[in-house]
Amino acid sequence: QVQLVESGGGLVQAGGSLRLSCAASGRTFSSDAMGWFRQAPGKEREFVAAISWSGGNTYYADSVKGRFTISRDNAKNTVYLQMNSLKPEDTAVYYCAADLVGVGVQAKEYDYWGQGTQVTVSS
C-alpha cells in the first residue's frame, strides 16, 4: 500500500534544468535507500542515482555524475533529483523507487515504485 508519487517532469531545451520530487505516502515503512531510475521506449530501466536515508550517502550513474544531484528530506519522506545541463539522451520516464534492504543500483533490487514522470529534452 506504499505510494510513491513523482512530480516535476516536463519539456525543456538542451542545457536546461528540472527538479524532480518523489513523495512517499500511505503505509509507513523502514527503507534503507531511495533511488531514481529512468526508462526510454524499448530500453531497459537504468539506474540514475540513489541516496541512503541514514547517512545520506549518494550514488550516481556515470552518465549523470556532475550534472544531477540527489537529495532527501527525511521528515517529508521525499527525495529530489536536481537535473542540470540536460541532454536529449536524458529523455525518458523517470521513476523513484524504495529499496528496503541496502542501497541497490539494479532495478530488480527495489521493492516499491512510483508511476513515473516524463522528462523530454529537445535539441
Side-chain angles (χ1 to χ4, degrees), residues 22-36:
C22 176
S25 62
R27 173 186 151 205
T28 57
F29 61 95
S30 178
S31 179
D32 281 356
M34 295 289 290
W36 286 97

Side-chain angles (χ1 to χ4, degrees), residues 4-81:
L4 303 176
V5 181
E6 303 95 337
S7 62
L11 174 64
V12 298
Q13 293 187 65
S17 298
L18 283 173
R19 184 166 118 124
L20 306 183
S21 299
C22 176
S25 62
R27 173 186 151 205
T28 57
F29 61 95
S30 178
S31 179
D32 281 356
M34 295 289 290
W36 286 97
F37 293 78
R38 65 188 182 187
Q39 188 169 26
K43 289 185 172 292
E44 294 288 321
R45 190 166 298 185
E46 66 172 340
F47 171 77
V48 176
I51 186 168
S52 65
W53 287 106
S54 57
N57 297 319
T58 58
Y59 309 86
Y60 296 94
D62 289 340
S63 60
V64 306
K65 190 172 294 186
R67 299 188 297 121
F68 292 9
T69 303
I70 188 170
S71 60
R72 86 265 190 255
D73 185 332
N74 293 28
K76 293 183 177 180
N77 291 322
T78 300
V79 64
Y80 306 93
L81 185 68

Side-chain angles (χ1 to χ4, degrees), residues 6-10 20-21 36-37 92-96 114-120:
E6 303 95 337
S7 62
L20 306 183
S21 299
W36 286 97
F37 293 78
V93 176
Y94 283 70
Y95 299 88
C96 66
Q115 64 181 8
T117 185
Q118 178 70 47
V119 172
T120 302

Side-chain angles (χ1 to χ4, degrees), residues 79-95:
V79 64
Y80 306 93
L81 185 68
Q82 178 66 46
M83 305 185 294
N84 298 324
S85 302
L86 284 162
K87 305 174 181 179
E89 52 261 45
D90 295 318
T91 295
V93 176
Y94 283 70
Y95 299 88

